[in-house]
Amino acid sequence: MVNFSSYVGRVTATVLTLALLMAAVAAWGWGREEAYAVLFAAFLSVVNMLILGGRLIALPASAQRAAQRLGGAVLQRWTITILGLIFAIFWLRLPVIGLVAGFLLTHFVFLAFLVRERSRQRS
């Protein structure tokens, strides 16, 4: 079993590093607004990952309580994501393409870490 805090730290550091690189490319190619959108979406995804991770660490022993806690975490993540996107699009006026790029980046990095960890466990 991998140490959760170090795992989350590696994923977070990788996501934020790649988001900064992608934002630099976006700023160079399309403009500052796209770069801000990439960074905003990456930050929002990292916050969501940390919320879920915190809930996973503190799962109760009871299966019913654990299911309720995970359901609450999923609801909380969706609420934060939707409110964050509404804020980004309508208040900050960030471009949707940059937000999508930032979300895709973070989710692909997270998926890559999961696949790598799964292949390590099978070996």
Side-chain angles (χ1 to χ4, degrees), residues 37-114:
V38 168
L39 291 175
F40 185 89
F43 178 73
L44 191 58
S45 290
V46 166
V47 167
N48 281 328
M49 183 180 61
L50 294 174
I51 288 171
L52 183 62
R55 294 284 180 110
L56 286 174
I57 286 177
L59 282 179
S62 163
Q64 183 175 357
R65 292 280 301 140
Q68 288 174 347
R69 189 165 180 103
L70 284 177
V74 169
L75 182 63
Q76 185 178 22
R77 289 181 72 203
W78 274 105
T79 303
I80 289 172
T81 299
I82 290 170
L83 291 177
L85 288 175
I86 289 171
F87 176 73
I89 293 169
F90 295 110
W91 183 265
L92 298 176
R93 307 237 185 251
L94 294 176
V96 173
I97 193 70
L99 293 169
V100 170
F103 274 118
L104 286 175
L105 170 76
T106 56
H107 285 83
F108 281 129
V109 168
F110 187 63
L111 181 63
F113 268 85
L114 286 175

Side-chain angles (χ1 to χ4, degrees), residues 115-123:
V115 168
R116 188 179 82 181
E117 191 60 38
R118 188 69 148 166
S119 66
R120 281 184 181 174
Q121 288 177 352
R122 289 186 179 171
S123 300

